[in-house]
Amino acid sequence: MILEKILLHLLIILIPVHIYTLFFENRKIGKSPYLFGVINGITAIVTMSFSFNAFGMVWDLRYAPLVIAFLYEGPISGSIVMIIIALKRTITGGDGLIVAYLCLMFTVILPLYMHKNYWNISKTNRIRKALIVGIWTALAQVIITYGYFLINGYPNHTNKELFLFVVLYGVVQIIGTAASSTLHERMIEKQLLQKEMSKAEKLHTIGELAASIAHEIRNPLTVVKGFLQLMKKQEKGTNLQYLTLVLSELDRAEVIISDYLNFAKPRLEKVEKIKLGDFISGIITLIQSLAVAKGVILDDKVDENPPIITDKDQLKQAIVNFIKNAIEATPQGGTVSVNLKRINNFVYIVISDTGKGMTNEQLSRMGTIFYTTKEKGTGLGTAVSIRIIETMNGKVTYESELNVGTKVTIQLPIVEDEIGL
């Protein structure tokens, strides 16, 4: 009978997630901490309504929805659940009322504290924290309840029976909290996935439109640029500096248009075999002047020289952009390191800096078009660079810590056959 009650409670505390999914997932009211608190408060009442008696005490899993409310929606939602539980328990009354109040007060301490940084950590760490809170809740209940039993004395039951029952109840409480947290994370993951899919569809449409427009604009720009170059050759007066400026801005416009085209429809135009070590060394020499101008030390360790098949012009564009970003993010006197290492059939270009770093939220948005951490910029350069590497069957990963620095790792496949290189 008691086992059936426990299983019923485990099902009850999972109800809020299903209610949100069915009725409030895509509605504005679904983001309200008050609604979240009320739903979890009602869940707590339902568990208390189906409680079971053992050793003269009332047992249920009321604290699982309380913990989830504090962790996922904060003090407002958690306080609503806490008040609802206290009122319900007061109305019920009984000898264990003081124990219930003590357990309630000790339960809220840790989840209230952990909520502060709860959304700044990964999904796995959030579930782990929920599990820790579940253990804390169970431990507080075990100590308080078992202490109450020992003080009041229950001659009809042995201490061993009491202890085993309270510990079992604590374990069930932990399992319930962990299960509820995992289900909430699945719901959140589903919502994020839906947003990403919607965003991807919009970007695809924008990309197609941008590619079409960019292609049409580039043709008349080429004609205008040609005539201006002819005029510049013949001009010797005061208008020469203006023509030079106009041509410079036309070159810049052409670069932006090319970037849009590369982002929308990246393609490798001239594929050839190259020695990557020599190629990277050439790029380091090229960009060394920028590092000197910024007062940044550019350190390189290129001991390997593996062969790869690529469009070297586009690869150069991507790597220069990554190194340039690292230099610009590093304060004067800082260091940017470029390392090349080979592991099995892949080569890794690792670009590390001692700059300002990024938060988890900024990291998650890297490579998104129009997103940038710079004061001036469109974010298009990074997005294009990532797309170029992906077109080469490669991969770009970011690691960063705020006020410590950022590390960009570029993975590219190696050519096994080195004949002709």
Side-chain angles (χ1 to χ4, degrees):
M1 184 66 180
I2 291 177
L3 180 60
E4 292 176 359
K5 289 279 189 180
I6 290 174
L7 292 175
L8 176 62
H9 286 182
L10 286 173
L11 292 174
I12 290 172
I13 62 177
L14 300 179
I15 288 176
V17 180
H18 298 294
I19 291 176
Y20 260 75
T21 303
L22 289 172
F23 302 107
F24 304 110
E25 185 174 10
N26 298 315
R27 297 185 181 182
K28 187 177 180 180
I29 191 173
K31 299 178 182 179
S32 170
Y34 298 98
L35 178 65
F36 195 85
V38 170
I39 292 175
N40 280 278
I42 293 173
T43 303
I45 289 178
V46 174
T47 61
M48 294 169 75
S49 300
F50 288 93
S51 60
F52 54 93
N53 295 312
F55 301 102
M57 298 284 289
V58 176
W59 304 87
D60 52 62
L61 297 185
R62 73 190 74 166
Y63 298 116
L66 174 66
V67 166
I68 294 299
F70 266 110
L71 288 177
Y72 282 88
E73 287 295 338
I76 294 176
S77 183
S79 298
I80 292 172
V81 181
M82 184 177 67
I83 293 169
I84 291 174
I85 290 175
L87 289 174
K88 171 64 176 174
R89 189 63 187 88
T90 302
I91 293 171
T92 304
D95 295 336
L97 190 59
I98 294 175
V99 175
Y101 287 152
L102 287 173
C103 289
L104 184 61
M105 286 188 293
F106 276 94
T107 295
V108 302
I109 293 173
L110 193 58
L112 182 60
Y113 171 76
M114 283 193 168
H115 169 73
K116 296 177 182 177
N117 299 313
Y118 197 67
W119 292 108
N120 294 329
I121 57 178
S122 65
K123 167 191 168 182
T124 304
N125 287 332
R126 286 200 297 269
I127 295 176
R128 191 175 295 138
K129 275 196 172 185
L131 187 60
I132 292 171
V133 173
I135 294 171
W136 160 262
T137 302
L139 188 61
Q141 288 181 270
V142 167
I143 295 172
I144 294 171
T145 306
Y146 190 63
Y148 177 81
F149 283 148
L150 292 179
I151 292 171
N152 289 275
Y154 282 84
N156 294 329
H157 308 285
T158 65
N159 287 339
K160 184 178 180 181
E161 288 174 335
L162 286 170
F163 181 76
L164 289 176
F165 181 83
V166 175
V167 169
L168 177 62
Y169 172 74
V171 170
V172 173
Q173 188 89 296
I174 294 170
I175 293 172
T177 303
S180 183
S181 174
T182 303
L183 204 55
H184 272 82
E185 290 296 336
R186 293 287 176 85
M187 180 184 72
I188 293 167
E189 191 175 26
K190 177 188 170 186
Q191 291 174 344
L192 291 175
L193 184 60
Q194 288 176 338
K195 288 181 181 178
E196 288 298 322
M197 289 177 64
S198 176
K199 185 178 179 182
E201 289 177 2
K202 291 178 181 178
L203 284 177
H204 178 73
T205 303
I206 292 172
E208 292 290 334
L209 181 62
S212 177
I213 294 174
H215 180 75
E216 295 300 324
I217 290 177
R218 189 159 60 174
N219 291 334
L221 277 181
T222 303
V223 175
V224 171
K225 183 179 177 181
F227 280 110
L228 287 173
Q229 287 172 336
L230 290 174
M231 291 172 63
K232 183 182 177 183
K233 290 180 181 179
Q234 299 174 3
E235 181 64 47
K236 295 181 181 180
T238 56
N239 290 330
L240 181 62
Q241 59 178 330
Y242 300 123
L243 287 172
T244 303
L245 180 62
V246 170
L247 286 168
S248 174
E249 289 302 304
L250 280 175
D251 288 336
R252 181 167 171 268
E254 281 190 332
V255 169
I256 294 172
I257 290 170
S258 296
D259 282 346
Y260 270 112
L261 286 171
N262 283 334
F263 179 79
K265 293 182 178 180
R267 61 184 183 276
L268 306 181
E269 295 180 353
K270 188 180 179 182
V271 177
E272 57 186 304
K273 290 182 180 180
I274 64 169
K275 287 283 192 177
L276 189 59
D278 296 337
F279 184 74
I280 296 297
S281 297
I283 291 176
I284 296 296
T285 303
L286 176 69
I287 208 167
Q288 187 72 50
S289 58
L290 174 64
V292 173
K294 296 286 185 179
V296 174
I297 300 169
L298 183 57
D299 182 36
D300 66 288
K301 184 179 180 182
V302 184
D303 298 328
E304 302 277 353
N305 200 18
I308 66 169
I309 294 179
T310 185
D311 182 330
K312 65 179 184 180
D313 291 333
Q314 292 205 42
L315 181 60
K316 181 179 179 180
Q317 176 186 345
I319 294 176
V320 166
N321 183 72
F322 288 126
I323 298 176
K324 181 171 173 287
N325 286 345
I327 292 172
E328 292 176 348
T330 304
Q332 190 171 1
T335 302
V336 172
S337 301
V338 181
N339 296 333
L340 182 66
K341 57 184 179 180
R342 174 176 182 168
I343 302 176
N344 298 326
N345 296 325
F346 292 94
V347 63
Y348 296 85
I349 306 166
V350 182
I351 303 166
S352 307
D353 65 62
T354 57
K356 57 186 178 181
M358 292 181 285
T359 63
N360 290 335
E361 194 274 336
Q362 288 174 320
L363 266 178
S364 67
R365 298 182 64 185
M366 287 305 297
T368 303
I369 191 170
F370 304 131
Y371 177 77
T372 178
T373 57
K374 301 177 185 178
E375 292 182 2
K376 294 182 179 180
T378 63
L380 186 59
T382 301
V384 169
S385 298
I386 292 174
R387 289 291 293 272
I388 288 173
I389 299 299
E390 289 174 347
T391 305
M392 298 174 180
N393 297 319
K395 185 170 65 173
V396 179
T397 56
Y398 279 84
E399 297 175 41
S400 188
E401 187 175 345
L402 205 59
N403 300 320
V404 175
T406 301
K407 180 169 74 173
V408 182
T409 303
I410 304 167
Q411 175 188 304
L412 291 168
I414 294 175
V415 180
E416 289 294 337
D417 183 12
E418 300 188 20
I419 297 175
L421 285 174

